[in-house]
């Protein structure tokens, strides 16, 4: 979730395209089995406030509802990860993942490790996949709805000697105002 219950930059395009084609796709997703996990901060708009309740992981709830309306078959209930939990989203995701793996019948399968996110990509593979380190940086920088570079482009900007971080000193104040974190970029240069 980004801002006031909005889709984050890396999912906004998918959501907009799905919405634009909803009438065309109605009742055509009967063979689609899906699961949704949403992330958010249940206190973003203040602990116990109505706005926090409404906007918490709103994109996940909207996506689940849309796919179901289009005929998709939900495998398990939508899972949620909350930044307010002691371990942030980890417990919620772990429970959801266990349910999903069980439903898929792969809960007994050996894996590469508990924290295995798949094979790490080499720098050369990343360079090829990002059009020689161009990635989608132009689109990200042209996006005036956010002040950050999407996660998938952060590795690319690191190759170029830049790092993105949010100003921790302003986090709480900006959350109270309902605006995204203040991002800054550090650039490494040689003189």
């Amino acid at each position: 979730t980004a801002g006031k219950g909005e889709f984050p930059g890396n999912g906004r395009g998918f959501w907009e395209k799905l919405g634009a084609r909803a009438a065309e796709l109605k009742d055509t997703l009967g063979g689609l089995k899906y699961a949704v996990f949403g992330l958010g901060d249940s206190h973003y708009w203040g602990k116990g406030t109505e706005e926090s309740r409404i906007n918490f992981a709103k994109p996940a709830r909207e996506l689940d509802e849309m796919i179901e309306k289009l005929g998709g078959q939900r495998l398990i209930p939508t899972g949620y990860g909350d930044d307010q939990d002691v371990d942030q989203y980890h417990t919620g995701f772990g429970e959801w993942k266990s349910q999903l793996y069980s439903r898929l019948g792969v809960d007994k399968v050996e894996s590469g490790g508990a924290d295995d996110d798949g094979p790490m990509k080499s720098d050369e593979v990343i360079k090829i996949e990002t059009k020689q380190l161009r990635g989608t940086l132009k689109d990200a920088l042209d996006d005036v709805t956010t002040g950050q570079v999407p996660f998938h482009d952060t590795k690319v900007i690191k190759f170029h000697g830049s790092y993105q971080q949010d100003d921790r000193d302003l986090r709480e104040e900006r959350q109270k105002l309902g605006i995204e974190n203040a991002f800054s970029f550090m650039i490494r240069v040689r003189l």
Side-chain angles (χ1 to χ4, degrees), residues 10 13 20 34 55 58 79-80 82 89 96 103 124 133 138 143 145 172 179 182-183 189:
N10 62 357
Y34 73 96
N55 293 312
K58 185 178 175 190
Y80 300 100
D82 189 348
Y89 67 88
W96 179 84
R103 179 78 166 90
E124 293 307 312
L133 300 181
K138 179 167 182 351
D143 184 357
T145 64
E172 188 175 334
I179 55 179
F183 291 94
V189 295

Tab-separated table of all heavy atoms in Angstrom, residues 10 13 20 34 55 58 79-80 82 89 96 103 124 133 138 143 145 172 179 182-183 189:
chain	number	residue	atom	x	y	z
A	10	ASN	N	5.082	-0.012	-8.372
A	10	ASN	CA	5.395	-1.224	-9.122
A	10	ASN	C	4.177	-2.084	-9.413
A	10	ASN	O	4.265	-3.056	-10.141
A	10	ASN	CB	6.476	-2.050	-8.415
A	10	ASN	CG	6.047	-2.529	-7.045
A	10	ASN	OD1	4.966	-2.215	-6.562
A	10	ASN	ND2	6.920	-3.275	-6.399
A	13	GLY	N	0.525	0.010	-12.680
A	13	GLY	CA	0.254	-0.262	-14.092
A	13	GLY	C	-0.596	-1.509	-14.279
A	13	GLY	O	-1.546	-1.522	-15.081
A	20	ALA	N	-9.045	-1.445	-16.716
A	20	ALA	CA	-9.454	-0.998	-18.046
A	20	ALA	C	-10.060	-2.139	-18.872
A	20	ALA	O	-10.898	-1.909	-19.736
A	20	ALA	CB	-8.262	-0.388	-18.784
A	34	TYR	N	-5.823	-18.183	-7.684
A	34	TYR	CA	-4.941	-17.108	-7.232
A	34	TYR	C	-4.909	-16.996	-5.710
A	34	TYR	O	-5.767	-17.522	-5.009
A	34	TYR	CB	-5.388	-15.772	-7.838
A	34	TYR	CG	-6.661	-15.232	-7.227
A	34	TYR	CD1	-6.611	-14.296	-6.192
A	34	TYR	CD2	-7.916	-15.662	-7.654
A	34	TYR	CE1	-7.771	-13.817	-5.614
A	34	TYR	CE2	-9.082	-15.174	-7.086
A	34	TYR	CZ	-8.999	-14.252	-6.061
A	34	TYR	OH	-10.143	-13.771	-5.487
A	55	ASN	N	-7.830	2.150	4.815
A	55	ASN	CA	-6.708	2.171	3.872
A	55	ASN	C	-5.669	1.083	4.079
A	55	ASN	O	-4.819	0.887	3.220
A	55	ASN	CB	-6.037	3.546	3.913
A	55	ASN	CG	-6.945	4.620	3.380
A	55	ASN	OD1	-7.543	4.479	2.327
A	55	ASN	ND2	-7.081	5.704	4.132
A	58	LYS	N	-5.351	-1.804	1.397
A	58	LYS	CA	-6.507	-1.628	0.515
A	58	LYS	C	-6.271	-2.200	-0.889
A	58	LYS	O	-7.163	-2.852	-1.444
A	58	LYS	CB	-6.881	-0.149	0.455
A	58	LYS	CG	-8.126	0.152	-0.335
A	58	LYS	CD	-8.435	1.645	-0.296
A	58	LYS	CE	-9.610	1.992	-1.185
A	58	LYS	NZ	-9.729	3.455	-1.307
A	79	GLY	N	-3.904	-12.737	2.700
A	79	GLY	CA	-3.027	-12.596	3.859
A	79	GLY	C	-2.575	-11.152	3.994
A	79	GLY	O	-2.582	-10.395	3.020
A	80	TYR	N	-2.168	-10.773	5.207
A	80	TYR	CA	-1.747	-9.393	5.455
A	80	TYR	C	-0.473	-9.339	6.271
A	80	TYR	O	-0.286	-10.108	7.206
A	80	TYR	CB	-2.848	-8.616	6.197
A	80	TYR	CG	-4.134	-8.554	5.418
A	80	TYR	CD1	-5.176	-9.416	5.716
A	80	TYR	CD2	-4.272	-7.661	4.362
A	80	TYR	CE1	-6.350	-9.385	4.981
A	80	TYR	CE2	-5.444	-7.616	3.621
A	80	TYR	CZ	-6.479	-8.477	3.936
A	80	TYR	OH	-7.627	-8.447	3.203
A	82	ASP	N	1.731	-6.462	8.440
A	82	ASP	CA	1.547	-5.140	9.047
A	82	ASP	C	2.878	-4.616	9.587
A	82	ASP	O	3.537	-5.271	10.396
A	82	ASP	CB	0.526	-5.263	10.189
A	82	ASP	CG	0.098	-3.927	10.751
A	82	ASP	OD1	0.735	-2.894	10.442
A	82	ASP	OD2	-0.895	-3.928	11.493
A	89	TYR	N	6.138	-7.620	8.603
A	89	TYR	CA	5.256	-8.525	7.850
A	89	TYR	C	5.647	-9.997	7.974
A	89	TYR	O	4.908	-10.870	7.518
A	89	TYR	CB	5.262	-8.152	6.361
A	89	TYR	CG	6.596	-8.393	5.691
A	89	TYR	CD1	6.893	-9.634	5.122
A	89	TYR	CD2	7.570	-7.411	5.653
A	89	TYR	CE1	8.121	-9.867	4.531
A	89	TYR	CE2	8.793	-7.640	5.063
A	89	TYR	CZ	9.061	-8.865	4.499
A	89	TYR	OH	10.277	-9.100	3.920
A	96	TRP	N	0.717	-17.116	6.075
A	96	TRP	CA	0.040	-17.138	4.774
A	96	TRP	C	0.746	-18.099	3.812
A	96	TRP	O	0.112	-18.890	3.127
A	96	TRP	CB	0.000	-15.720	4.205
A	96	TRP	CG	-0.637	-15.603	2.856
A	96	TRP	CD1	-1.958	-15.492	2.576
A	96	TRP	CD2	0.031	-15.575	1.592
A	96	TRP	NE1	-2.161	-15.388	1.224
A	96	TRP	CE2	-0.944	-15.442	0.595
A	96	TRP	CE3	1.372	-15.651	1.216
A	96	TRP	CZ2	-0.631	-15.379	-0.760
A	96	TRP	CZ3	1.682	-15.591	-0.132
A	96	TRP	CH2	0.686	-15.463	-1.099
A	103	ARG	N	-2.022	-25.772	0.672
A	103	ARG	CA	-3.109	-25.843	-0.319
A	103	ARG	C	-2.592	-26.343	-1.660
A	103	ARG	O	-3.268	-27.061	-2.385
A	103	ARG	CB	-3.739	-24.451	-0.478
A	103	ARG	CG	-4.846	-24.378	-1.486
A	103	ARG	CD	-6.127	-24.941	-0.888
A	103	ARG	NE	-7.276	-24.597	-1.692
A	103	ARG	CZ	-7.741	-25.345	-2.687
A	103	ARG	NH1	-7.162	-26.478	-2.986
A	103	ARG	NH2	-8.787	-24.950	-3.364
A	124	GLU	N	25.899	-9.670	-14.324
A	124	GLU	CA	25.789	-9.749	-15.784
A	124	GLU	C	24.353	-10.026	-16.223
A	124	GLU	O	23.871	-9.461	-17.198
A	124	GLU	CB	26.751	-10.807	-16.344
A	124	GLU	CG	28.214	-10.446	-16.190
A	124	GLU	CD	28.548	-9.070	-16.757
A	124	GLU	OE1	28.140	-8.758	-17.890
A	124	GLU	OE2	29.215	-8.287	-16.058
A	133	LEU	N	21.600	-1.778	-18.036
A	133	LEU	CA	21.454	-0.920	-16.858
A	133	LEU	C	20.544	0.289	-17.071
A	133	LEU	O	20.578	1.233	-16.305
A	133	LEU	CB	22.816	-0.458	-16.327
A	133	LEU	CG	23.767	-1.567	-15.889
A	133	LEU	CD1	25.058	-0.984	-15.364
A	133	LEU	CD2	23.113	-2.443	-14.841
A	138	LYS	N	13.802	5.687	-16.630
A	138	LYS	CA	13.168	6.861	-17.229
A	138	LYS	C	11.706	6.925	-16.811
A	138	LYS	O	11.228	7.983	-16.390
A	138	LYS	CB	13.284	6.853	-18.741
A	138	LYS	CG	12.586	8.078	-19.349
A	138	LYS	CD	12.903	8.308	-20.769
A	138	LYS	CE	12.268	9.517	-21.383
A	138	LYS	NZ	11.275	10.277	-20.705
A	143	ASP	N	7.599	9.555	-13.321
A	143	ASP	CA	6.396	9.371	-12.498
A	143	ASP	C	6.354	10.440	-11.410
A	143	ASP	O	7.070	10.371	-10.420
A	143	ASP	CB	6.404	7.977	-11.879
A	143	ASP	CG	5.144	7.670	-11.080
A	143	ASP	OD1	4.274	8.567	-10.959
A	143	ASP	OD2	5.030	6.540	-10.582
A	145	THR	N	3.944	11.024	-9.399
A	145	THR	CA	3.088	10.661	-8.266
A	145	THR	C	3.880	10.167	-7.071
A	145	THR	O	3.324	9.946	-6.004
A	145	THR	CB	2.058	9.576	-8.656
A	145	THR	OG1	2.751	8.369	-8.999
A	145	THR	CG2	1.198	10.038	-9.818
A	172	GLU	N	7.781	9.972	10.788
A	172	GLU	CA	6.578	10.063	11.624
A	172	GLU	C	5.727	11.280	11.244
A	172	GLU	O	4.511	11.183	11.104
A	172	GLU	CB	6.963	10.132	13.098
A	172	GLU	CG	5.771	10.042	14.032
A	172	GLU	CD	6.191	9.990	15.498
A	172	GLU	OE1	7.323	9.550	15.807
A	172	GLU	OE2	5.367	10.405	16.325
A	179	ILE	N	1.368	11.567	3.783
A	179	ILE	CA	2.161	11.626	2.555
A	179	ILE	C	3.312	10.640	2.650
A	179	ILE	O	3.708	10.227	3.739
A	179	ILE	CB	2.674	13.057	2.277
A	179	ILE	CG1	3.455	13.619	3.477
A	179	ILE	CG2	1.514	13.978	1.935
A	179	ILE	CD1	4.014	15.014	3.260
A	182	ALA	N	9.982	10.979	2.746
A	182	ALA	CA	10.836	11.904	2.008
A	182	ALA	C	12.070	11.121	1.567
A	182	ALA	O	12.877	10.712	2.391
A	182	ALA	CB	11.234	13.082	2.887
A	183	PHE	N	12.193	10.904	0.280
A	183	PHE	CA	13.317	10.136	-0.242
A	183	PHE	C	14.428	11.068	-0.690
A	183	PHE	O	14.197	12.146	-1.215
A	183	PHE	CB	12.872	9.256	-1.416
A	183	PHE	CG	11.967	8.151	-0.989
A	183	PHE	CD1	10.594	8.299	-1.035
A	183	PHE	CD2	12.485	6.961	-0.501
A	183	PHE	CE1	9.750	7.290	-0.617
A	183	PHE	CE2	11.654	5.948	-0.078
A	183	PHE	CZ	10.284	6.116	-0.138
A	189	VAL	N	30.604	10.101	-6.572
A	189	VAL	CA	31.312	10.657	-7.729
A	189	VAL	C	32.810	10.641	-7.470
A	189	VAL	O	33.271	10.615	-6.334
A	189	VAL	CB	30.873	12.106	-8.051
A	189	VAL	CG1	29.427	12.139	-8.488
A	189	VAL	CG2	31.107	13.030	-6.887
